Amino acid sequence: MHAEVVEYLRCPVCASSLSATGTALRCDAGHSFDVARQGYVNLLTGQVPAGAETPEMISARAAFLGAGHYDFIAAAVADAAGAYSSGLVVDAGAGTGHYLAALLRRRPEGFGLAIDVAKAAARVAARSHPRADAAVADVWRGLPLADGCAEVILNIFAPRNGAEFARVLRPGGRLLVVTPRPDHLGELVATLGLLGVDPDKQRRVDVALGGRLRLDRSDEYVRKLRLTRSEVAQLVAMGPSSWHVDRPELSRRLADLGEPVIVTASIQLSVFHIAPRLGG
Ligand SMILES: C[S@@+](CC[C@H](N)C(=O)[O-])C[C@H]1O[C@@H](n2cnc3c(N)ncnc32)[C@H](O)[C@@H]1O
Ligand SMILES: [Zn+2]
């Protein structure tokens, strides 16, 4: 792992700093965390929560994102990140690290940390870019990072923890949140019986973040995707519906689709900054 990232990592047990010793990171109190052969550190204490993606979901996501269908999201995120060129980018709920890598490609001196609760994700994200590292951690239990260390935090289609984002974001830094809009993948919700997006989701995101995070702006991006049947299958396999669908029924419905399948991708990108502490 990169020294530029390790310096900001904190022990998930006692919050002291960590240093690299052989194949582990260790704090002064002796808590030790293995760095896997694939280059990620496991900082998860306790059980893996529900919602961790499976290796099958991660490989479907890698294939779908690799084909470029969501490049418009990566470009919007990289534009919204602003003009800094160095510092730490944290991707909370990073999945394959696709968006983190896209941002680092535009930031020649930046370093990145992908955080995900799924080992399968951390394994892929650790190799997403030469200046990216990855850690397994549960964002709901807190980020294993120093106060005010992140220049940019990405949170894309992933669980969020407003209090922790506010603690970790540097004054002047930005939090970028991508959420699906109610019509996201609407055609597939109807024809394949997928889970729809809660129409109240955006309001819930703003409320959940709250506190010291201030909304600078929020923009919608809508694209018509032209997909093959197998790309539609990847899209289903990488999303929350993959936990719920009846697979034989899904295969029948997929087989009935004519190509190309036109699908609406519709997302909201919200940019937040951190308000100064009162009296500080
Ligand atoms: C829908 S995927 C999005 C991944 C990536 N941001 C992208 O858009 O390609 C959500 C990710 O959040 C991770 N995740 C779920 N619960 C989590 C938690 N409590 N802490 C950290 N990551 C979590 C999942 O393992 C998964 O990789
Ligand atoms: Zn410790």
Side-chain angles (χ1 to χ4, degrees), residues 11 13-16 27 29 31:
C11 174
V13 180
C14 69
S16 49
C27 75
H31 304 121

Side-chain angles (χ1 to χ4, degrees), residues 49 51-53 61 65 93-95 99 116-118 137-140 156-159:
E53 292 203 347
R61 180 175 297 281
L65 293 175
Y99 300 100
D116 202 287
V117 80
D138 179 352
V139 300
W140 283 320
I156 304 178
F157 300 124

Side-chain angles (χ1 to χ4, degrees), residues 145-186:
L145 284 164
D147 294 356
C149 68
E151 206 54 62
V152 175
I153 299 178
L154 306 181
N155 179 237
I156 304 178
F157 300 124
R160 55 198 66 83
N161 181 336
E164 277 293 273
F165 291 169
R167 181 184 68 77
V168 162
L169 199 60
R170 190 182 72 73
R174 294 181 192 186
L175 164 66
L176 311 181
V177 179
V178 172
T179 49
R181 294 180 48 78
D183 55 340
H184 184 58
L185 312 182

Side-chain angles (χ1 to χ4, degrees), residues 51-277:
E53 292 203 347
T54 62
E56 294 72 28
M57 292 169 84
I58 297 294
S59 38
R61 180 175 297 281
F64 184 83
L65 293 175
H69 299 296
Y70 280 180
D71 282 0
F72 74 98
I73 304 178
V77 165
D79 287 347
Y84 84 100
S85 64
S86 58
L88 183 69
V89 182
V90 174
D91 190 347
T96 63
H98 180 79
Y99 300 100
L100 177 64
L103 189 48
L104 290 175
R105 282 196 289 274
R106 290 218 205 160
R107 300 290 181 270
E109 290 158 39
F111 283 84
L113 178 69
I115 294 181
D116 202 287
V117 80
K119 278 188 192 171
R123 206 174 286 139
V124 176
R127 281 172 286 157
S128 63
H129 188 278
R131 282 175 277 116
D133 285 326
V136 178
D138 179 352
V139 300
W140 283 320
R141 265 184 261 166
L143 300 177
L145 284 164
D147 294 356
C149 68
E151 206 54 62
V152 175
I153 299 178
L154 306 181
N155 179 237
I156 304 178
F157 300 124
R160 55 198 66 83
N161 181 336
E164 277 293 273
F165 291 169
R167 181 184 68 77
V168 162
L169 199 60
R170 190 182 72 73
R174 294 181 192 186
L175 164 66
L176 311 181
V177 179
V178 172
T179 49
R181 294 180 48 78
D183 55 340
H184 184 58
L185 312 182
E187 296 87 345
L188 302 182
V189 172
T191 49
L192 300 180
L194 304 192
L195 296 178
V197 178
D198 173 358
D200 203 26
K201 175 134 190 168
Q202 190 57 43
R203 198 188 59 79
R204 286 196 292 109
V205 169
D206 295 347
V207 170
L209 284 169
R212 292 172 57 223
L213 291 164
R214 299 280 179 273
L215 183 67
D216 287 325
R217 55 174 231 261
S218 188
D219 299 300
E220 43 178 287
Y221 294 83
V222 182
R223 291 287 184 286
K224 293 285 180 198
L225 311 180
R226 292 168 65 85
L227 305 178
T228 62
R229 271 191 291 275
S230 66
E231 288 172 330
V232 173
Q234 286 163 0
L235 201 45
V236 177
M238 73 190 231
S241 296
S242 67
W243 306 106
H244 308 281
V245 288
D246 169 355
R247 283 171 196 265
E249 175 61 18
L250 176 68
S251 309
R252 272 192 295 280
R253 292 194 190 186
L254 274 172
D256 285 346
L257 294 178
E259 290 184 341
V261 188
I262 307 295
V263 177
T264 306
S266 175
I267 62 109
Q268 192 82 26
L269 168 58
S270 303
V271 182
F272 296 83
H273 74 274
I274 180 104
R277 279 183 199 286

Side-chain angles (χ1 to χ4, degrees), residues 10-18 26-33:
R10 293 294 176 266
C11 174
V13 180
C14 69
S16 49
S17 53
L18 293 166
R26 215 177 290 276
C27 75
D28 284 348
H31 304 121
S32 177
F33 306 92

